[in-house]
Structure formats: structure tokens, C-alpha cells
Amino acid sequence: MGFEPKLIATLQQATRIVIVTGSGISAESGIPTFRGEDGLWKKYRAEELATPEAFYSNPELVWEWYDWRRQLIGKAEPNPGHDVIAMMEGEYPEFLLITQNVDGLHRKAGSRNVVEIHGNIWRARCTGGCETSYLEENPITQLPPKCNCGAMLRPDIVWFGESLPIEGLLRAEKAIQECDVLIVIGTSGYVYPVASFPMIAQAAGAMVVEINIERTPISQIADFTLLGKAGDVLPALWNEVVQKG
Ligand code: BV8
């Protein structure tokens, strides 16, 4: 799999890298994507479940869906795509990974400079305002789970219509304004504001590289769109960057 010399040279000379991932990076770990063939949303529509309204009108159903995903994710391991991203982190003076995924697989693969911009499925938030904590129990015995204060717990995840965590958003926006290269991997470019990150980076002067099994709206503006599975493309790309380095 040969890559454009300009792409390789830029990745070798860059000092500031931002990577944005979506559910496609976890597909080869056996976790269904949201809008693909076996998409998570196929069985459940996003509007039915990933919204505060859905949660407060039917917490059991929403928690059943998250519990089902937690059980699936609990059996999943990082794949070579996650592994290469974790390796890249140590090779650049400035590196930030922004993930829309809530599965925690990037951290499991060793990534540390990570913004989980849509939250984390292993954390739960008390609806009564107590401290957010990890809810390790898998599967969850009592749905919906309760806080020690007696109030219902909710997944510590950003639902549609909810604001993204401001600290993570500010960290992400600063990095995308300053980076040399933004690599966007495994996202359909459908959900905002993350879908706008490649455009913002490019307007600020970065090279935008997309890795996906199919073209997306991001392909319109990407400098390079590498078609293929992340678990195949990332190792091949990184191999070439390091070899010629
Ligand atoms: C907000 C958490 C401010 C739940 C998720 C109209 C226009 C623009 C914006 C809006 C609008 N109307 C409403 C909005 C805002 C809304 C939005 O974007 N709506 C969409 C539907 C248009 N956004 C919000 O509400 C956000 N908040 O804007 O705050 C605000 C505040 C108050 C009031 C108003 C505004 C919050 C968005 C976060 C929602 N939460 N998830 C959960 O995970 O359970 S979104 C959900 O989608 C996941 O987080 C997921 O990560 C995200 C994006 O999906 P993808 O990751 O891209 O997954 P998808 O299946 O779509 O694509 C997978 C891709 O991988 C495909 O391209 C496929 O080809 C590729 N692939 C597959 N296999 C592989 C692969 N690639 C490589 N290798 C492979 N092997």
C-alpha cells in the first residue's frame, strides 16, 4: 500500500498532530458502528435513546441499551488501529487524540493524551448532583442503577442536544487551530460539532487526512482520503513514515 510522498514527508516533518476518531476505529474490535450495516442505531434510533428526553421518559430502556453495549465492549480488545495511534502519541512533541467513542478502547491501547468528547460508557453520573464515578459492574444488576444518595444514575455520555464537556471542547479547539496535520478516522462526519473539526483545522493551515472504508462529507475537503480499514491502513501508513524517517 504505497502512500503519496507528500503525505509521508508531512507526517515525518510535523510536530503537532491531532487525531479525531469515530466508531469506525472500533469496528474491527467487534463493536458495531452507529450508522453502518450492523449499526447500533438500526435496532434503536438515536432520537429514541441518546437524548435526555428519552432517558427521563424511559430510563430502564435507555439503560438496557447501554448495559447491552457495555457487555459487548467489555469483551472487546483494541485493534491494530488503536495500537498505532497509541504508538504515534510518543513520536510527536504535540499530540492530541479526540475521540467520539465512549468505549474506552483508546486508553486500553495505551493512549494517554485523549479527549473523550462524547463521554465514557464506563462512567455514570448521579442525577442528584453527587460526584461522577466509574460504574464497573458489568452487567448491571439493577436497572436503572442508583447512587448511594438514592437518586438515579445516568451514563456519563453526551446525548443529542447536550453540550460537549467545555474543558475537552476548549482543549480540542486549541489543538485543531494549531496542528500541522489532522487525521480523521472512522467517522461519517454526521454529528456536530466534531464533524466541523477537519474544516476548522484546514482553515487554520493544517493538512487533513481521512481514513475510512468509504467516502464521507469530510472527503470533499480532505487533502488525502485513504480508503480502507483503519486496522490495515494505519499500520501500513505508520510503517512507511517510520521507515523513511
Ligand atoms: C451539541 C453519544 C450544542 C451517545 C453521540 C443540525 C445541523 C448541525 C448540527 C445539529 C443539527 N441538529 C442538531 C444538531 C446538533 C447535534 C447533531 O450533530 N445532530 C446530528 C444528528 C445532525 N449535535 C449535538 O446535539 C451535540 N451537542 O451540538 O451541543 C447544543 C447544546 C444544546 C442545544 C443545541 C446544541 C451532541 C452530539 C453528541 C451526540 N452523542 N453519542 C452514545 O454514544 O451512546 S453521537 C454518536 O455519533 C456517537 O458519539 C458517535 O461517535 C457519533 C458519530 O458517529 P460516528 O462515530 O461517525 O459513527 P457512524 O456509524 O456514523 O460512522 C462510522 C464511520 O466509520 C463510517 O463512515 C464508516 O464508513 C466508517 N468505518 C466503518 N468501519 C471502518 C470504518 N472506517 C475505518 N475502518 C473501519 N474498519
Side-chain angles (χ1 to χ4, degrees):
M1 187 185 282
F3 299 95
E4 288 272 337
K6 182 165 182 280
L7 168 61
I8 299 300
T10 307
L11 284 171
Q12 286 167 336
Q13 289 143 25
T15 53
R16 299 164 299 182
I17 300 279
V18 168
I19 294 188
V20 175
T21 60
S23 62
I25 189 89
S26 294
E28 290 156 84
S29 297
I31 300 173
T33 62
F34 285 86
R35 297 164 189 89
E37 279 320 302
D38 60 349
L40 276 173
W41 299 135
K42 281 275 176 294
K43 301 173 188 64
Y44 308 92
R45 286 178 50 254
E47 293 66 22
E48 284 164 9
L49 299 175
T51 66
E53 297 73 21
F55 178 72
Y56 285 103
S57 68
N58 192 339
E60 290 77 11
L61 175 68
V62 172
W63 264 113
E64 256 172 59
W65 184 53
Y66 281 99
D67 187 43
W68 173 72
R69 285 171 66 191
R70 286 161 52 105
Q71 290 180 54
L72 199 66
I73 292 167
K75 298 182 192 108
E77 288 302 324
N79 65 61
H82 294 107
D83 297 339
V84 166
I85 292 173
M87 266 189 274
M88 289 176 72
E89 181 170 329
E91 300 303 317
Y92 289 97
E94 288 182 48
F95 180 98
L96 184 64
L97 168 60
I98 302 163
T99 186
Q100 299 173 93
N101 300 341
V102 298
D103 59 30
L105 287 184
H106 282 302
R107 283 188 200 282
K108 205 168 178 180
S111 289
R112 288 296 169 267
N113 276 354
V114 190
V115 171
E116 294 175 322
I117 205 147
H118 289 168
N120 182 307
I121 203 164
W122 299 112
R123 282 198 308 270
R125 215 156 72 216
C126 170
T127 54
C130 299
E131 195 64 21
T132 297
S133 60
Y134 278 86
L135 180 64
E136 307 289 358
E137 191 191 25
N138 187 22
I140 301 169
T141 45
Q142 179 207 12
L143 295 177
K146 295 282 175 40
C147 175
N148 295 334
C149 77
M152 214 168 30
L153 291 173
R154 60 160 280 178
D156 188 24
I157 276 186
V158 181
W159 283 327
F160 288 102
E162 293 188 319
S163 303
L164 276 59
I166 188 64
E167 193 212 326
L169 195 52
L170 291 175
R171 196 171 161 208
E173 285 180 344
K174 181 173 183 305
I176 58 180
Q177 289 287 356
E178 296 169 356
C179 67
D180 304 313
V181 184
L182 181 140
I183 308 176
V184 52
I185 307 168
T187 186
S188 58
Y190 180 68
V191 173
Y192 284 78
V194 173
S196 61
F197 288 2
M199 275 73 87
I200 295 170
Q202 192 173 65
M207 172 187 276
V208 171
V209 183
E210 177 186 32
I211 298 174
N212 201 310
I213 54 172
E214 62 187 11
R215 295 181 67 78
T216 72
I218 295 167
S219 312
Q220 322 282 339
I221 61 109
D223 297 285
F224 296 97
T225 290
L226 311 176
L227 290 178
K229 290 183 174 181
D232 298 335
V233 173
L234 276 166
L237 177 66
W238 187 237
N239 212 3
E240 214 164 301
V241 169
V242 172
Q243 268 193 0
K244 293 183 178 168

